[in-house]
Amino acid sequence: MTETTAKRTQQRVKSKLKRTKVKQKHDKDIISELDPQKMREDILNEAKVLGMAATTTEVFVSRVVDDVIKWLKKRPAVTYDDLNRKIAAEVKKYNEDLAYVYQNRGKII
């Protein structure tokens, strides 16, 4: 094997490793920063998909986001799965269908 082909092989292996690392980043990633506005918009979008009225959803979404942010401040590290479970628990108080969406996020339904 020549030196140039060995380098090409190493480059291909490195690029494959980089791609697999990106594929593994998924729900198990630890959340470093969380924007409450994005969380709010996400919940509103999911509610809109379910056909819920925007006026009624906006009333409880602000409460849900506030409760989740308080919960997050007490935790040193949180994954996306943890966050979705907490959002589902808080949303369940107001709407069971929306909670079901968050409980099964990332899963095939």
Side-chain angles (χ1 to χ4, degrees):
M1 189 181 251
T2 64
E3 190 176 328
T4 56
T5 57
K7 285 182 181 180
R8 286 183 191 156
T9 306
Q10 286 176 348
Q11 288 174 346
R12 275 187 266 145
V13 170
K14 284 181 183 178
S15 66
K16 283 183 183 179
L17 287 174
K18 287 179 184 177
R19 279 187 258 140
T20 56
K21 286 180 183 176
V22 171
K23 286 181 184 177
Q24 289 173 355
K25 286 189 174 183
H26 146 90
D27 290 336
K28 305 295 182 205
D29 290 340
I30 294 175
I31 299 171
S32 57
E33 292 182 22
L34 184 69
D35 185 16
Q37 184 62 27
K38 286 185 182 179
M39 185 189 329
R40 183 178 184 280
E41 290 171 3
D42 186 48
I43 297 171
L44 288 172
N45 286 338
E46 293 293 342
K48 187 176 180 181
V49 168
L50 291 173
M52 297 172 61
T55 53
T56 56
T57 337
E58 289 177 2
V59 173
F60 72 81
V61 167
S62 60
R63 293 179 193 162
V64 169
V65 171
D66 290 341
D67 291 341
V68 171
I69 295 297
K70 287 178 189 175
W71 175 80
L72 281 171
K73 288 181 180 179
K74 297 177 185 176
R75 307 285 184 278
V78 177
T79 63
Y80 285 106
D81 285 340
D82 296 336
L83 179 64
N84 287 332
R85 275 192 293 272
K86 182 60 179 176
I87 292 173
E90 293 297 324
V91 168
K92 193 171 187 175
K93 299 173 188 175
Y94 305 102
N95 188 299
E96 298 247 347
D97 294 333
L98 189 57
Y100 180 80
V101 170
Y102 274 94
Q103 286 172 348
N104 295 303
R105 207 156 214 208
K107 300 175 187 171
I108 298 174
I109 300 175

